[in-house]
Amino acid sequence: MTNDILVFAEQRNDVVHPAALQLVMPAKALAATTGGKVVACLIGDKLDNAMAAVEKTGVDRIIAVSAPQLGLYSAVRYRTALATAIANVEPRIVLLAATFMGRDLAPRVAVKTQAALATDVVELTISGDGALDVRRPVYNGKAFCHVSFPEDRLAIASVRPNTFSAPAGGSGAARAALAYTPGPGDDRINVQEIARSAGAVKDVTEADIIVSGGRALKSEDNFKILYELAQELDAAVGASRAACDAGYQPHSRQVGLTGKTVTPRLYIACGISGAIQHLAGMRGSKVIVAINTDKEAPIFKLADYGIVADVFKVVPALTAEVQRLKG
Amino acid sequence: MKILVLVRQVPDSTTTIKIRPDAKDIERTGVKMVVNPFDEFAIEQAVLLREKRPDVQSVTALIVGPATAAEALRTALAVGADDGMHLQDDAFTALDELQMAALIAAVVQGGGYDLILLGKQEIDLDSGQLGPALAEALDWPHVGATVKLEFAADGKSFVARRRIEGAEEVVQLALPAVVTADKGLCEMRYPSLPNLMKAKKKPVKVVKAADVPGLAEAVGRVGGTALHTFQPPPARPAGKLIAGEPDQAAKELVRLLREEAKAI
Ligand SMILES: Cc1cc2nc3c(=O)[nH]c(=O)nc-3n(C[C@H](O)[C@H](O)[C@H](O)COP(=O)(O)OP(=O)(O)OC[C@H]3O[C@@H](n4cnc5c(N)ncnc54)[C@H](O)[C@@H]3O)c2cc1C
Ligand SMILES: Nc1ncnc2c1ncn2[C@@H]1O[C@H](COP(=O)(O)O)[C@@H](O)[C@H]1O
């Protein structure tokens, strides 16, 4: 085992996931303690642009595992490829982003490489005995806990998106390529297509800003006012379960316990009461705004800014003001 | 086709989480325990397949947990699982998620299962490790966070849709396979009282550590993380209520978001 930190730089279509670039900051901090290097690993088919983006974060070394069969994500192929990179680098710690891909891949790779794993972490340190120690939210963010790793085996952690920011201004990373040798049964998952949701609206898990609507919106049509604000802010539109169950928005936009967990820079809750199961999905947001006619609504307890008023009046006024400032 | 569905008991989502004074765990007395919401989708999917497909021989529900976890198992049986397996031993409480996967793999290996359904994540520790880890331990393929499952006529392969950022992956797999359920897959029916009564008569096999051959080796190969202290979430600064007419308030909010919070 070396003292190096390996970062899995997730990409799709030669575009690195922003959450993967955010791994470099904690990786550098860990490497400073272990005395190792930060090595990024990319897996895919065409990787030129993705490698260039990773290089800018200032990693020491980039390893590319590229092959036509790796063009689309497959849990079994990618775990073989990442395990190959791990065998090559022999890192002490591997970091992945806790994205849909990272959550799917990390446990498989951990079992394959006989490692220990913690998911969705927000803090990473090396403890006195030299082992990794992390902090992660539990009970949907209602508490946090420290997780210690054993010292004698590879430690893998997936990191919650938007916890760190991506460093910039790096260059000159050493580059190497590793061959992908398909393992037995690597062809058992056959990805047929990636079906994009209709329209070019961002998904809640991709956006830095989310404008979210609840039962108060009363119809799919009324959600238009949220889409208009979202467009001005380059935001995604989210919804409460009540709004999704009523058919105002598709379930893919649901935020909460049984919906998606989001940690954007800004979350604007419009006509959402703030039930505990909704908070479960968005309490990790940096800044929270609530707009609600009921000043007793629980969402105001969490909000950094609140307006007690009708969403149908406030939201269009917000849109107009943002537009005005943009000129 | 033999189906195995995994069930976990978790604190009800409305529970107020209090941390014990020694910070080693949360207060567990008086906490209402329920079936993990993502497991409800898995149970319903298993039972739907059993009802619709003549080639489905059985649905077995499996839980690892203390004696009280039998209640969650009974819910699965009441919804339509045929029998249960309760892995209950003090030795199991010290296992982390990957070791739990090793345990379950050791128990189900050779059991003749073709499809394992489980939740994409449990809502207490929010780990989301078990499905992919179990698949790897069994050397089976898996689909995670599945929102749709459609079997081919011969019942040997299926097409699944899995949720990713802004899209769905459509994947095709052959059995045996592990599938983790996300919201949208289906909604669990409410178990009726007669079915709850009938569930009490369905067979439940209790499995102890000594019944699992090779357990120590399997568990020793992976994991080993330990939860050591719990803390409440960081306190959020008190919020600001913005007064005034909607137009004025909107203007002020935009100003604050730009100048104070630097969020837009
Ligand atoms: C197991 C389980 C899982 C769940 N998972 C989720 C989940 O993932 N996500 C989720 O969101 N919920 C979830 N729920 C449901 C949750 O408990 C709430 O029912 C839901 O969040 C309520 O949605 P809402 O805030 O839109 O509706 P309501 O609670 O009805 O709130 C509507 C709010 O709008 C306000 N309002 C009305 N008119 C206006 C107006 N004109 N202007 C401004 N404000 C107005 C009202 O004052 C009220 O506060 C779950 C529940 C359970 C039991
Ligand atoms: N103790 C357990 N017994 C049975 N199934 C479990 C147990 N723990 C987790 N699972 C299953 O694994 C899924 C994912 O759990 P986790 O990886 O712990 O988030 C859960 O939704 C359950 O279906």
Side-chain angles (χ1 to χ4, degrees), chain A residues 214-216 218 240-243 254-259 271-275 277-278 291-294 297 309-312, chain B residues 13 37:
Chain A
R215 199 197 307 268
K218 291 202 180 73
S240 71
R241 170 155 156 186
Q254 182 182 320
V255 171
L257 183 71
T258 45
I272 293 178
S273 60
Q277 298 91 353
H278 188 79
I291 303 164
N292 197 306
T293 42
D294 173 11
D310 187 348
V311 281
F312 294 105
Chain B
S13 59

Side-chain angles (χ1 to χ4, degrees), chain A residues 7-11 16-24 57 96-97 99 166:
Chain A
V7 164
F8 171 61
E10 165 183 346
Q11 63 81 40
V16 192
H17 198 296
L21 299 175
Q22 295 162 3
L23 298 172
V24 176
T57 61
L96 300 90
T99 55

Side-chain angles (χ1 to χ4, degrees), chain B residues 6-8 36 39 62-64 100 118-119 121-122 127-130:
Chain B
L6 304 189
V7 185
R8 181 174 172 111
N36 184 37
D39 300 355
L62 180 152
I63 198 159
V64 185
M100 186 75 88
L118 72 162
Q121 143 178 347
E122 27 95 356
S127 308
Q129 296 189 18
L130 193 66

Side-chain angles (χ1 to χ4, degrees), chain A residues 108 139 142 153 192 195 305, chain B residues 15 124 136 140 170 220 260:
Chain A
R108 281 207 88 118
Y139 300 101
K142 286 189 267 186
R153 61 169 45 127
Q192 297 186 318
Y305 301 105
Chain B
T15 309
D124 49 7
E136 186 65 34
W140 290 9
V170 185
E260 189 177 82

